Amino acid sequence: MYDGPRANRSRTAMTFDQMLERVRYEGAYPTRERAEEVVHHVLAALGRQLTGDDRVDLAQCLPVEAALALTASVPDREQLTGWGFVEDLAARTGGTRATARWDTGAVLSVVTRLTGPDLLARILRRLPGGYALLFGQAELRRPQAAA
């Protein structure tokens, strides 16, 4: 049974302080504290969208403090689209959709560097449409079944 974050086995190991500095740079936040607040909000929101192995494997790639933020939230019963994710984040933080989208991009661009392409591709396959752009990836159309 999984009862906490495992040791970081990521090839691109990063400390939490390094992660915060990277998010601070990506998001052009004025302080480390603001970057930390954004990291916690975005990762908690992402944690509400992920379940099972995706959630565990992503947590393993993150610094412990970030993994705790990701896994502290109980997954939602229904997954949100990428835009729904941004709207939900804005509502929960009291911000605008524009700032929530900015915050999401700043954090998830750093998360993308930590996950590696295989895990990121697996996570994106399991999430509804719209998340690839949030992670800074091209949004490829899924094949439509013939009518």
Side-chain angles (χ1 to χ4, degrees):
M1 175 170 210
Y2 179 76
D3 41 307
R6 298 179 195 160
N8 187 344
R9 295 186 196 130
S10 173
R11 289 183 306 247
T12 317
M14 184 181 287
T15 67
F16 189 60
D17 286 334
Q18 290 169 327
M19 182 181 189
L20 292 179
E21 283 306 311
R22 193 75 217 156
V23 169
R24 182 177 177 195
Y25 176 80
E26 293 290 334
Y29 299 113
T31 65
R32 180 186 184 281
E33 291 75 21
R34 176 67 180 128
E36 185 171 3
E37 179 182 334
V38 168
V39 166
H40 282 284
H41 286 303
V42 172
L43 290 179
L46 183 60
R48 289 190 291 275
Q49 299 303 306
L50 298 175
T51 59
D53 289 342
D54 296 332
R55 184 177 165 107
V56 172
D57 292 345
L58 179 55
Q60 286 181 319
C61 294
L62 300 174
V64 172
E65 298 90 336
L68 291 171
L70 177 82
T71 58
S73 299
V74 175
D76 287 343
R77 298 184 103 195
E78 289 186 38
Q79 286 184 320
L80 301 171
T81 64
W83 184 242
F85 177 88
V86 170
E87 289 180 322
D88 182 64
L89 182 62
R92 288 176 188 265
T93 61
T96 66
R97 290 180 292 200
T99 57
R101 172 61 182 95
W102 182 269
D103 293 346
T104 299
V107 174
L108 296 185
S109 67
V110 176
V111 169
T112 296
R113 290 186 193 108
L114 293 170
T115 61
D118 295 337
L119 176 57
L120 181 60
R122 191 178 86 208
I123 289 170
L124 290 175
R125 277 193 305 272
R126 296 206 175 118
L127 288 170
Y131 281 89
L133 293 174
L134 298 178
F135 280 92
Q137 306 294 303
E139 180 78 45
L140 302 176
R141 294 183 66 179
R142 295 180 183 171
Q144 300 290 327

